[in-house]
Amino acid sequence: MTDQINRVVLAYSGGLDTSVILKWLQQTYNCEVVTFTADLGQGEELEPARQKAQMAGVKPEHIFIDDLREEFVRDYVFPMMRSNALYEGLYLLGTSIARPLIAKRQIEIARQVNADAVSHGATGKGNDQVRFELGYYALAPDIKVIAPWREWDLTSRTRLIEFAEQHQIPVAKDKRGESPFSTDANLLHTSSEGKVLEDPWQEVPDYVYSRTVNPEDAPDAPEYITIDFERGDGVALNGEATSPATLLTKLNELGRRHGIGRLDLVENRFVGMKSRGMYETPGGTIYHLAHRGIEQITLDRGAAHLKDELAPRYAELVYNGFWFSPEREMLQAAIDHSQAKVSGTVRLKLYKGGVYIVGRRSPNSLYSEKVVTFEDDQGAYDQRDAAGFIKLNALRLRLLGRRDA
């Protein structure tokens, strides 16, 4: 009935869905399951996942719990942030950017333990199944992929709980019944979808937000911070050097305190349907705007405008799961080249949900006060040059006007 599978590496959180998947794989494929749990800064205690996997019969040497926070921010979040990518103009791609790293590590573990297959807990309706599997196939073209949600008949939360109880799988009390919404979290963001959020006319209830205070309840006094950049990447907060993951962690706390980074979005999924989600990206929102701030004075107009043309394409590639594609790598090379002089300091004001750039400086600044001043520029710019510039640009418009008069 099923292909011969001896060993499978499962992306495993220890929650209800992946705990059921673990047992289902053992039963359906009569195979050995290796669990992989990634610490991407989701803020949850991960040791219980180890205990649950052992209770399910997974060998201790086949339980992998890896701290990937620094790699996640350094090699995935920061390169994406250099592009200023926003999917559909708004979404900072917090879930999307985590999937290729999880897929990469799963394939590495599969090779390490000589597994025949990999498995994930993404449903057949969403984007994550595409992101995971495009990553798997890019890195291991012949790997077998098992997606239980596309195979089994456990099509509801009730059925999952019944299966769990039949097989003595612990079920958290708050999972007994319909969960109010589903969430995904990592160091960059938290997303919430489903149930109470499925009606796009209804305002998101405040209890859904887990990462930010309500902007209305944020401090009444603004807070000023500085972020230092080198070659397009953040390297210091308020003058204190910090690692990528530590910087994002600290920005998250600042964003939480000031109610920054909430987004209520109806987006177009890659699989074709529209979905409504609520995203909280506190530190990422601050960082994104700060990066644009340092680019304002260090990037040439041509490079800056070309980047703005490329950013939506880059964002779409990340959203759709094509991180390991040659076109994303080509865009990355161009973007990284543009960042060679993107170094300096940005000063920002944080206040009641808002992030405001209030200052920027750089040793590589292209801003010339001498040229732009309204005072006497002492010949730095000859205003008479503008007359010919305007006439040449107006020539075709004048010819059109004469013809159509």
Side-chain angles (χ1 to χ4, degrees), residues 91-163:
Y91 171 41
L92 281 163
L93 297 160
T95 295
S96 316
I97 193 61
R99 298 331 190 199
L101 174 55
I102 295 172
K104 179 179 82 75
R105 185 64 185 125
Q106 259 186 285
I107 294 299
E108 290 172 349
I109 293 171
R111 289 179 173 140
Q112 181 179 336
V113 301
N114 295 315
D116 310 286
V118 289
S119 182
H120 61 77
T123 74
K125 284 189 176 182
N127 298 304
D128 279 342
Q129 58 180 336
V130 184
R131 296 166 182 153
F132 281 129
E133 294 178 37
L134 289 180
Y136 299 151
Y137 290 132
L139 300 171
D142 299 318
I143 194 74
K144 169 70 176 176
V145 177
I146 303 173
W149 279 97
R150 301 202 300 258
E151 296 185 24
W152 64 20
D153 59 358
L154 305 176
T155 54
S156 69
R157 179 70 55 184
T158 301
R159 293 291 306 278
L160 284 178
I161 292 175
E162 289 175 354
F163 183 96

Side-chain angles (χ1 to χ4, degrees), residues 324-338:
F324 297 110
S325 68
E327 60 268 38
R328 200 282 306 176
E329 293 170 351
M330 288 170 62
L331 285 177
Q332 192 73 58
I335 289 161
D336 291 352
H337 180 77
S338 77

Side-chain angles (χ1 to χ4, degrees), residues 24-299:
W24 181 87
L25 287 170
Q26 291 170 332
Q27 287 188 341
T28 305
Y29 285 87
N30 191 29
C31 65
E32 186 174 19
V33 178
V34 178
T35 63
F36 162 54
T37 307
D39 182 359
L40 297 178
Q42 55 265 51
E44 298 176 353
E45 175 58 48
L46 298 182
E47 277 307 308
R50 184 189 308 278
Q51 298 163 10
K52 290 179 180 178
Q54 284 184 311
M55 287 173 55
V58 180
K59 296 177 181 177
E61 65 269 24
H62 284 167
I63 300 173
F64 292 81
I65 299 178
D66 295 347
D67 184 348
L68 302 178
R69 288 174 293 178
E70 285 294 349
E71 183 179 1
F72 175 50
V73 182
R74 182 189 66 237
D75 296 342
Y76 293 82
V77 176
F78 274 13
M80 180 182 71
M81 288 290 189
R82 289 176 215 140
S83 76
N84 300 325
L86 293 170
Y87 182 67
E88 297 189 335
L90 292 167
Y91 171 41
L92 281 163
L93 297 160
T95 295
S96 316
I97 193 61
R99 298 331 190 199
L101 174 55
I102 295 172
K104 179 179 82 75
R105 185 64 185 125
Q106 259 186 285
I107 294 299
E108 290 172 349
I109 293 171
R111 289 179 173 140
Q112 181 179 336
V113 301
N114 295 315
D116 310 286
V118 289
S119 182
H120 61 77
T123 74
K125 284 189 176 182
N127 298 304
D128 279 342
Q129 58 180 336
V130 184
R131 296 166 182 153
F132 281 129
E133 294 178 37
L134 289 180
Y136 299 151
Y137 290 132
L139 300 171
D142 299 318
I143 194 74
K144 169 70 176 176
V145 177
I146 303 173
W149 279 97
R150 301 202 300 258
E151 296 185 24
W152 64 20
D153 59 358
L154 305 176
T155 54
S156 69
R157 179 70 55 184
T158 301
R159 293 291 306 278
L160 284 178
I161 292 175
E162 289 175 354
F163 183 96
E165 291 177 338
Q166 289 170 8
H167 297 89
Q168 289 78 52
I169 297 170
V171 180
K173 289 183 179 180
D174 61 353
K175 292 290 187 181
R176 293 181 178 273
E178 295 290 330
S179 58
F181 51 89
S182 64
T183 62
D184 175 77
N186 58 49
L187 199 53
L188 182 55
H189 91 156
T190 295
S191 67
S192 300
E193 291 182 332
K195 299 304 176 185
V196 71
L197 304 177
E198 288 182 354
D199 182 353
W201 178 249
Q202 297 300 318
E203 184 175 2
V204 177
D206 201 57
Y207 66 79
V208 175
Y209 296 99
S210 62
R211 247 171 131 154
T212 53
V213 303
N214 191 317
E216 297 168 9
D217 300 325
D220 292 328
E223 183 170 358
Y224 289 83
I225 66 169
T226 61
I227 300 176
D228 294 344
F229 287 87
E230 288 183 8
R231 299 179 66 86
D233 288 346
V235 296
L237 176 64
N238 294 327
E240 182 179 341
T242 180
S243 72
T246 302
L247 174 60
L248 189 53
T249 300
K250 291 181 177 180
L251 289 176
N252 277 333
E253 182 51 43
L254 289 164
R256 172 195 290 275
R257 186 157 65 239
H258 293 280
I260 291 165
R262 294 184 172 190
L263 174 64
D264 181 340
L265 178 66
V266 175
E267 70 198 60
N268 291 291
R269 285 183 180 170
F270 191 24
V271 295
M273 70 187 76
K274 288 184 181 291
S275 67
R276 192 270 190 101
M278 189 284 297
Y279 298 109
E280 291 178 275
T281 318
T285 299
I286 299 170
Y287 186 92
H288 168 78
L289 292 169
H291 181 258
R292 294 217 65 140
I294 195 61
E295 284 192 330
Q296 289 170 6
I297 59 171
T298 56
L299 273 192

Side-chain angles (χ1 to χ4, degrees), residues 338-351:
S338 77
Q339 302 295 289
K341 300 293 184 181
V342 181
S343 301
T345 302
V346 179
R347 188 167 73 248
L348 307 109
K349 180 169 73 172
L350 314 179
Y351 182 64

Side-chain angles (χ1 to χ4, degrees), residues 361-380:
R361 66 187 177 195
S362 170
N364 304 324
S365 177
L366 293 171
Y367 180 87
S368 173
E369 188 175 351
K370 183 177 181 181
V371 169
V372 80
T373 182
F374 280 100
E375 302 302 325
D376 183 4
D377 62 24
Q378 299 180 333

